[in-house]
Amino acid sequence: MRAFNFAAGPAMLPVEVLEQAREEFTDWHRLGASVMEISHRGKPFLAMAREAESDLRELLAVPANYRVLFMQGGGAAQFSVVPLNLAAADATVDQVVTGHWSQRALAEARRLIAHVNVAADEGASKYTTVPRPADLKLSARAAYVHYCPNETIGGVEFPYVPDTSGVPLVADMSSTILSRPIDVSRFGLIYAGAQKNIGPSGLVVVIVRQDLLGRARKDIPAVWDYQAVAAEGSMFNTPPTFSWYLAGLVFKWLKARGGLAAMGERNRVKAERLYGAIDGSGFYRNPVARECRSWMNVPFTLAAPALEGAFATEAGAAGLINLEGHRSVGGMRASIYNAMPLEGVEALIAFMKDFERRKG
Ligand SMILES: *Cc1c(COP(=O)(O)O)cnc(C)c1O
């Protein structure tokens, strides 16, 4: 039996994708070997890899002047790889701080760059808000502006793309990529760890505007140099082949379901129902300002925090798993990425109502 899995990441994958992977697990494309057991430089793997890239480009409508890189090290590696590639040690960069992940990116930027300007820090609201566009204090000559469009732990999502007046905008989209259409041309660079909305961990997708390649510091490790990786078609060294393959299946799954416009509509409805149930209850509470509530990660607390353990245990027994909030903040959190069907959200809402009726 498959549970409805609300984990924040690694997260639920579409069951159709897992079933196809199982089907061809030991013998892929009649090669007599698994996709994990063949050369990444052989024709079959290369064809699959190129198709995955072109499907991703189609889904996100990636303009021709952007390169798509399949790299390793997860989202966190990019906290250092971005500065090493895009900014000299004595440069200035702007960092927007809206919660846990943008704080982690800020800490790494401070280790690597002399002038790190905090363009906004939402600490005053306990990271339940995003800055208004007019409140972003951007530097005149920053190498780039970094922000996190969706804070996975706080459940805070930007309802707008910041206007940086031509300065490259760098976005950590780990937990929001592919959840709805975006205009890639607004960004200099997008990165996303795979294990939320793309596929298994071990893979990070980087979408970078071509003119930003070739700016890396001389002492950067070669495997982290975007230009070197791009020149080799993400085969500078052995890529995470299984993750790449599975991501490719997820891209096909998304295309078969109408692409990101259709997915965005489904995600909007899922989020609306869950927030509606929370706001309508008086027993559950979501602390995030309404206009910047995440479509993907929905944290909530119970009126009686002592009941949180029972909530998680009983939900688990009912087939609704991994609802515990992040260890740093507690409470509950329902991550409702693309693979979570509306029925899963409705089952959670029904459970929440029943729990409240019995214990509230
Ligand atoms: C999960 C996550 C990360 C970290 O990803 P790793 O693959 O564990 O390095 C970074 N940023 C955001 C927004 C995330 O959700």
Side-chain angles (χ1 to χ4, degrees), residues 3-7 315-317 319-324:
F4 290 121
N5 179 3
F6 295 91
L320 308 163
I321 63 173
N322 296 319
L323 282 159
E324 295 87 352

Side-chain angles (χ1 to χ4, degrees), residues 73-77 79 101 148 150-152 172-175 191 193 195-196:
F79 297 160
W101 292 111
C148 181
N150 184 69
E151 285 282 358
T152 320
D172 173 4
M173 288 202 189
S174 296
S175 53
Y191 63 89
Q195 68 272 22
K196 278 87 188 218

Side-chain angles (χ1 to χ4, degrees), residues 14-302:
V15 67
E16 296 86 354
V17 164
L18 295 176
E19 280 166 353
Q20 184 179 341
R22 179 178 61 191
E23 193 63 32
E24 54 198 27
F25 195 65
T26 55
D27 181 10
W28 186 66
H29 287 199
R30 297 184 186 278
L31 294 171
S34 143
V35 69
M36 284 179 280
E37 301 171 299
I38 57 169
S39 170
H40 54 294
R41 304 199 188 274
K43 265 195 187 139
F45 188 87
L46 280 178
M48 183 285 299
R50 292 299 152 248
E51 199 166 311
E53 179 181 336
S54 76
D55 285 341
L56 178 61
R57 284 183 168 277
E58 188 182 325
L59 284 165
L60 285 168
V62 178
N65 63 325
Y66 284 73
R67 301 298 299 264
V68 176
L69 312 179
F70 292 78
M71 298 178 72
Q72 303 190 42
Q78 295 299 315
F79 297 160
S80 353
V81 174
V82 165
L84 290 172
N85 271 279
L86 300 190
D90 62 353
T92 299
V93 300
D94 289 339
Q95 302 272 145
V96 182
V97 180
T98 51
H100 177 91
W101 292 111
S102 47
Q103 277 168 334
R104 295 264 310 260
L106 170 68
E108 209 51 26
R110 281 187 167 142
R111 286 185 345 105
L112 296 165
I113 298 170
H115 309 285
V116 177
N117 169 51
V118 175
D121 186 324
E122 297 300 285
S125 74
K126 298 205 171 83
Y127 301 107
T128 58
T129 52
V130 301
R132 287 176 303 178
D135 292 339
L136 288 174
K137 296 187 178 57
L138 301 177
S139 317
R141 289 171 40 190
Y144 60 84
V145 179
H146 180 284
Y147 84 123
C148 181
N150 184 69
E151 285 282 358
T152 320
I153 295 173
V156 173
E157 185 156 15
F158 275 76
Y160 69 95
V161 177
D163 177 4
T164 55
S165 310
V167 173
L169 179 60
V170 175
D172 173 4
M173 288 202 189
S174 296
S175 53
T176 184
I177 194 162
L178 299 174
S179 66
R180 62 179 113 177
I182 51 166
D183 179 358
V184 172
S185 73
R186 299 283 305 275
F187 301 89
L189 186 147
I190 291 166
Y191 63 89
Q195 68 272 22
K196 278 87 188 218
N197 229 357
I198 294 177
S201 63
L203 169 72
V204 56
V205 170
V206 176
I207 303 170
V208 55
R209 215 174 59 211
Q210 202 138 3
D211 62 282
L212 297 176
L213 299 177
R215 298 185 182 190
R217 299 184 196 179
K218 294 281 170 281
D219 57 355
I220 189 173
V223 290
W224 292 127
D225 182 343
Y226 292 142
Q227 187 168 48
V229 174
E232 300 290 335
S234 300
M235 307 263 177
F236 183 86
N237 65 327
T238 313
T241 54
F242 187 77
S243 297
W244 194 330
Y245 150 79
L246 210 86
L249 296 186
V250 170
F251 301 152
K252 295 247 178 270
W253 180 86
L254 285 167
K255 282 176 65 179
R257 273 151 193 80
L260 299 193
M263 197 47 69
E265 187 48 28
R266 272 180 228 131
N267 286 330
R268 190 187 61 73
V269 171
K270 278 154 54 186
E272 225 169 68
R273 298 249 175 112
L274 186 48
Y275 287 114
I278 291 169
D279 292 341
S281 77
F283 182 72
Y284 303 102
R285 205 178 96 74
N286 169 278
V288 179
R290 277 172 196 257
E291 68 281 4
C292 52
R293 284 172 161 181
S294 169
W295 285 13
M296 295 285 102
N297 310 97
V298 183
F300 59 93
T301 53
L302 276 55

